């Protein structure tokens, strides 16, 4: 595959206030890597489509695709894969919870460590210890025990890997609920070499 080419794929639903900021942060971070950003607007009811149209018209490597109705994250992943040209793809949420500044580190780690998958996970430093924090810890432990893995944050959807691996990992979770929770599990079930990267606490 080209050594400095990749796609960032972003599933969007009612994120009109975040799109411009997310795009700027990705563009600023990817100074040495040729890339394209693929936004999948999953039937948003706000002004997301209009904002995406502005971005795609003004920035040549921003692509926008629209679902007429909300089809869910799984169908958005499939849409992104169907149009992705580069072999390396990165899944990132559109609500700014995943810091895009870590994408180059994840990409370089994929190449330099000769691994197949890099998954970003949240640091525990500075995170509020509320019910969501303890639920997240418990769910990750349950996934690790159930599927006999040692993931730092198995349910994290901040993943960078090769397009063919991601397509194969989607097959077992088609039709089930909470696909994003299990994407890390199904990637690991492919017996791929992996690397976990701490990406700071979510913004």
């Amino acid at each position: 595959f080209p050594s400095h080419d990749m796609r960032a794929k972003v599933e969007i639903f009612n994120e009109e206030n975040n799109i411009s900021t997310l795009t700027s942060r990705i563009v600023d971070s990817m100074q040495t890597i040729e890339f394209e950003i693929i936004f999948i607007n999953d039937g948003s009811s706000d002004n997301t489509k209009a904002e995406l149209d502005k971005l795609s018209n003004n920035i040549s490597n921003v692509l926008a695709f629209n679902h007429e109705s909300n089809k869910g994250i799984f169908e958005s992943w499939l849409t992104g894969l169907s149009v992705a040209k580069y072999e390396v793809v990165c899944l990132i949420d559109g609500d700014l919870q995943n810091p895009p500044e870590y994408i180059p580190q994840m990409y370089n780690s994929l190449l330099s460590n000769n691994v197949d998958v890099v998954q970003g996970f949240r640091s525990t430093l500075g995170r509020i210890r509320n019910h969501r924090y303890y639920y997240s810890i418990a769910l990750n432990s349950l996934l690790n025990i159930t599927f006999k893995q040692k993931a730092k944050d198995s349910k994290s959807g901040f993943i960078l890997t090769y397009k063919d691996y991601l397509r194969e990992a989607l097959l077992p979770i088609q039709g089930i609920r909470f696909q994003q929770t299990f994407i890390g599990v199904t990637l690991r079930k492919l017996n791929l070499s992996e690397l976990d990267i701490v990406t700071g606490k979510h913004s």
Side-chain angles (χ1 to χ4, degrees):
F1 67 98
S3 59
H4 293 287
D5 295 347
M6 68 164 291
R7 292 268 176 132
K9 299 193 308 184
V10 191
E11 189 264 350
I12 294 290
F13 180 70
N14 291 347
E15 299 287 358
E16 61 175 306
N17 296 322
N18 295 330
I19 297 169
S20 179
T21 299
L22 176 60
T23 300
S24 296
R25 288 173 62 180
I26 293 177
V27 171
D28 289 344
S29 300
M30 305 285 282
Q31 296 295 320
T32 61
I33 302 172
E34 184 178 341
F35 70 98
E36 285 187 331
I37 306 171
I38 303 173
F39 282 105
I40 310 300
N41 174 28
D42 194 29
S44 297
S45 58
D46 62 358
N47 292 320
T48 291
K49 184 178 184 302
E51 291 298 315
L52 286 177
D53 288 342
K54 291 179 186 177
L55 287 170
S56 60
N57 288 333
N58 293 326
I59 305 176
S60 60
N61 56 344
V62 172
L63 305 177
F65 296 87
N66 297 285
H67 291 167
E68 293 301 319
S69 61
N70 184 260
K71 297 182 177 181
I73 194 168
F74 186 85
E75 292 297 327
S76 295
W77 285 337
L78 291 183
T79 298
L81 281 173
S82 70
V83 297
K85 294 181 180 179
Y86 297 147
E87 292 303 314
V88 177
V89 295
C90 179
L91 303 180
I92 185 169
D93 290 337
D95 58 4
L96 302 177
Q97 68 170 305
N98 304 135
E101 291 78 14
Y102 284 90
I103 296 177
Q105 179 184 346
M106 295 169 68
Y107 178 74
N108 291 327
S109 295
L110 183 84
L111 302 184
S112 62
N113 290 281
N114 195 30
V115 295
D116 302 309
V117 180
V118 177
Q119 185 173 30
F121 69 95
R122 294 164 290 180
S123 170
T124 58
L125 297 177
R127 290 183 63 190
I128 298 173
R129 265 47 171 190
N130 57 14
H131 70 282
R132 293 182 62 186
Y133 171 82
Y134 291 107
Y135 171 78
S136 178
I137 296 296
L139 178 56
N140 187 65
S141 297
L142 179 61
L143 290 171
N144 280 342
I145 293 170
T146 302
F147 296 102
K148 297 179 175 59
Q149 57 182 27
K150 297 179 180 180
K152 299 287 187 181
D153 189 3
S154 182
K155 66 197 180 308
S156 170
F158 194 15
I159 289 172
L160 189 145
T161 186
Y162 296 95
K163 184 169 56 177
D164 289 343
Y165 294 150
L166 182 58
R167 183 181 290 109
E168 187 174 354
L170 291 181
L171 295 176
I173 59 176
Q174 186 173 10
I176 71 170
R177 299 181 65 186
F178 310 116
Q179 288 107 334
Q180 190 166 3
T181 298
F182 293 100
I183 185 64
V185 171
T186 54
L187 280 167
R188 289 179 174 87
K189 286 298 181 180
L190 298 178
N191 293 319
L192 304 175
S193 56
E194 60 174 304
L195 183 67
D196 292 312
I197 294 289
V198 63
T199 56
K201 68 174 184 176
H202 286 190
S203 52

PDB file of all heavy atoms in Angstrom, residues 24-35 104:
ATOM      1  N   SER A  24     -10.817  20.819  10.938  1.00  0.00           N
ATOM      2  CA  SER A  24      -9.616  21.645  11.128  1.00  0.00           C
ATOM      3  C   SER A  24      -8.560  20.906  11.940  1.00  0.00           C
ATOM      4  O   SER A  24      -7.369  20.953  11.617  1.00  0.00           O
ATOM      5  CB  SER A  24      -9.979  22.958  11.830  1.00  0.00           C
ATOM      6  OG  SER A  24     -10.833  23.737  11.045  1.00  0.00           O
ATOM      7  N   ARG A  25      -9.002  20.210  12.965  1.00  0.00           N
ATOM      8  CA  ARG A  25      -8.055  19.492  13.810  1.00  0.00           C
ATOM      9  C   ARG A  25      -7.419  18.326  13.069  1.00  0.00           C
ATOM     10  O   ARG A  25      -6.221  18.042  13.244  1.00  0.00           O
ATOM     11  CB  ARG A  25      -8.748  19.021  15.087  1.00  0.00           C
ATOM     12  CG  ARG A  25      -9.055  20.155  16.052  1.00  0.00           C
ATOM     13  CD  ARG A  25      -9.889  19.703  17.240  1.00  0.00           C
ATOM     14  NE  ARG A  25      -9.199  18.709  18.057  1.00  0.00           N
ATOM     15  CZ  ARG A  25      -9.723  18.166  19.159  1.00  0.00           C
ATOM     16  NH1 ARG A  25     -10.950  18.509  19.546  1.00  0.00           N
ATOM     17  NH2 ARG A  25      -9.045  17.277  19.858  1.00  0.00           N
ATOM     18  N   ILE A  26      -8.189  17.642  12.236  1.00  0.00           N
ATOM     19  CA  ILE A  26      -7.609  16.553  11.440  1.00  0.00           C
ATOM     20  C   ILE A  26      -6.612  17.108  10.434  1.00  0.00           C
ATOM     21  O   ILE A  26      -5.483  16.615  10.305  1.00  0.00           O
ATOM     22  CB  ILE A  26      -8.708  15.753  10.721  1.00  0.00           C
ATOM     23  CG1 ILE A  26      -9.573  14.987  11.726  1.00  0.00           C
ATOM     24  CG2 ILE A  26      -8.087  14.771   9.715  1.00  0.00           C
ATOM     25  CD1 ILE A  26     -10.732  14.225  11.095  1.00  0.00           C
ATOM     26  N   VAL A  27      -7.011  18.130   9.717  1.00  0.00           N
ATOM     27  CA  VAL A  27      -6.138  18.725   8.693  1.00  0.00           C
ATOM     28  C   VAL A  27      -4.844  19.225   9.321  1.00  0.00           C
ATOM     29  O   VAL A  27      -3.747  18.999   8.788  1.00  0.00           O
ATOM     30  CB  VAL A  27      -6.871  19.863   7.962  1.00  0.00           C
ATOM     31  CG1 VAL A  27      -5.906  20.633   7.069  1.00  0.00           C
ATOM     32  CG2 VAL A  27      -8.030  19.314   7.133  1.00  0.00           C
ATOM     33  N   ASP A  28      -4.939  19.915  10.451  1.00  0.00           N
ATOM     34  CA  ASP A  28      -3.743  20.442  11.114  1.00  0.00           C
ATOM     35  C   ASP A  28      -2.819  19.325  11.588  1.00  0.00           C
ATOM     36  O   ASP A  28      -1.596  19.515  11.658  1.00  0.00           O
ATOM     37  CB  ASP A  28      -4.147  21.308  12.312  1.00  0.00           C
ATOM     38  CG  ASP A  28      -4.785  22.626  11.899  1.00  0.00           C
ATOM     39  OD1 ASP A  28      -4.651  23.008  10.715  1.00  0.00           O
ATOM     40  OD2 ASP A  28      -5.431  23.261  12.757  1.00  0.00           O
ATOM     41  N   SER A  29      -3.399  18.177  11.913  1.00  0.00           N
ATOM     42  CA  SER A  29      -2.601  17.071  12.449  1.00  0.00           C
ATOM     43  C   SER A  29      -1.892  16.272  11.362  1.00  0.00           C
ATOM     44  O   SER A  29      -0.861  15.643  11.630  1.00  0.00           O
ATOM     45  CB  SER A  29      -3.498  16.116  13.252  1.00  0.00           C
ATOM     46  OG  SER A  29      -4.118  16.780  14.327  1.00  0.00           O
ATOM     47  N   MET A  30      -2.409  16.289  10.152  1.00  0.00           N
ATOM     48  CA  MET A  30      -1.938  15.382   9.108  1.00  0.00           C
ATOM     49  C   MET A  30      -1.012  16.085   8.122  1.00  0.00           C
ATOM     50  O   MET A  30      -1.169  15.979   6.904  1.00  0.00           O
ATOM     51  CB  MET A  30      -3.149  14.796   8.380  1.00  0.00           C
ATOM     52  CG  MET A  30      -4.155  14.122   9.285  1.00  0.00           C
ATOM     53  SD  MET A  30      -3.607  12.507   9.871  1.00  0.00           S
ATOM     54  CE  MET A  30      -3.943  11.526   8.425  1.00  0.00           C
ATOM     55  N   GLN A  31      -0.029  16.776   8.647  1.00  0.00           N
ATOM     56  CA  GLN A  31       0.837  17.586   7.797  1.00  0.00           C
ATOM     57  C   GLN A  31       1.735  16.748   6.882  1.00  0.00           C
ATOM     58  O   GLN A  31       2.085  17.192   5.791  1.00  0.00           O
ATOM     59  CB  GLN A  31       1.695  18.501   8.674  1.00  0.00           C
ATOM     60  CG  GLN A  31       0.897  19.520   9.481  1.00  0.00           C
ATOM     61  CD  GLN A  31       0.180  20.516   8.597  1.00  0.00           C
ATOM     62  OE1 GLN A  31       0.710  20.989   7.597  1.00  0.00           O
ATOM     63  NE2 GLN A  31      -1.057  20.846   8.956  1.00  0.00           N
ATOM     64  N   THR A  32       2.120  15.577   7.309  1.00  0.00           N
ATOM     65  CA  THR A  32       3.081  14.772   6.543  1.00  0.00           C
ATOM     66  C   THR A  32       2.455  13.532   5.921  1.00  0.00           C
ATOM     67  O   THR A  32       3.166  12.692   5.379  1.00  0.00           O
ATOM     68  CB  THR A  32       4.252  14.342   7.445  1.00  0.00           C
ATOM     69  OG1 THR A  32       3.745  13.545   8.528  1.00  0.00           O
ATOM     70  CG2 THR A  32       4.969  15.562   8.025  1.00  0.00           C
ATOM     71  N   ILE A  33       1.140  13.408   6.009  1.00  0.00           N
ATOM     72  CA  ILE A  33       0.462  12.212   5.512  1.00  0.00           C
ATOM     73  C   ILE A  33      -0.590  12.622   4.494  1.00  0.00           C
ATOM     74  O   ILE A  33      -1.411  13.499   4.756  1.00  0.00           O
ATOM     75  CB  ILE A  33      -0.214  11.436   6.658  1.00  0.00           C
ATOM     76  CG1 ILE A  33       0.811  11.028   7.720  1.00  0.00           C
ATOM     77  CG2 ILE A  33      -0.928  10.194   6.122  1.00  0.00           C
ATOM     78  CD1 ILE A  33       0.192  10.422   8.976  1.00  0.00           C
ATOM     79  N   GLU A  34      -0.553  12.005   3.328  1.00  0.00           N
ATOM     80  CA  GLU A  34      -1.604  12.246   2.347  1.00  0.00           C
ATOM     81  C   GLU A  34      -2.876  11.541   2.811  1.00  0.00           C
ATOM     82  O   GLU A  34      -2.852  10.369   3.161  1.00  0.00           O
ATOM     83  CB  GLU A  34      -1.183  11.720   0.973  1.00  0.00           C
ATOM     84  CG  GLU A  34      -2.186  12.020  -0.121  1.00  0.00           C
ATOM     85  CD  GLU A  34      -1.722  11.532  -1.480  1.00  0.00           C
ATOM     86  OE1 GLU A  34      -0.504  11.300  -1.641  1.00  0.00           O
ATOM     87  OE2 GLU A  34      -2.579  11.375  -2.364  1.00  0.00           O
ATOM     88  N   PHE A  35      -3.988  12.243   2.811  1.00  0.00           N
ATOM     89  CA  PHE A  35      -5.197  11.680   3.413  1.00  0.00           C
ATOM     90  C   PHE A  35      -6.446  12.279   2.786  1.00  0.00           C
ATOM     91  O   PHE A  35      -6.403  13.285   2.077  1.00  0.00           O
ATOM     92  CB  PHE A  35      -5.225  11.980   4.923  1.00  0.00           C
ATOM     93  CG  PHE A  35      -5.460  13.430   5.235  1.00  0.00           C
ATOM     94  CD1 PHE A  35      -6.732  13.894   5.572  1.00  0.00           C
ATOM     95  CD2 PHE A  35      -4.420  14.343   5.184  1.00  0.00           C
ATOM     96  CE1 PHE A  35      -6.961  15.232   5.847  1.00  0.00           C
ATOM     97  CE2 PHE A  35      -4.635  15.691   5.453  1.00  0.00           C
ATOM     98  CZ  PHE A  35      -5.910  16.135   5.791  1.00  0.00           C
ATOM     99  N   PRO A 104      -1.924  10.657  13.499  1.00  0.00           N
ATOM    100  CA  PRO A 104      -0.577  10.395  12.953  1.00  0.00           C
ATOM    101  C   PRO A 104       0.234   9.428  13.811  1.00  0.00           C
ATOM    102  O   PRO A 104       0.964   8.583  13.265  1.00  0.00           O
ATOM    103  CB  PRO A 104       0.059  11.792  12.922  1.00  0.00           C
ATOM    104  CG  PRO A 104      -1.090  12.736  12.829  1.00  0.00           C
ATOM    105  CD  PRO A 104      -2.168  12.099  13.673  1.00  0.00           C
TER     106      PRO A 104
END
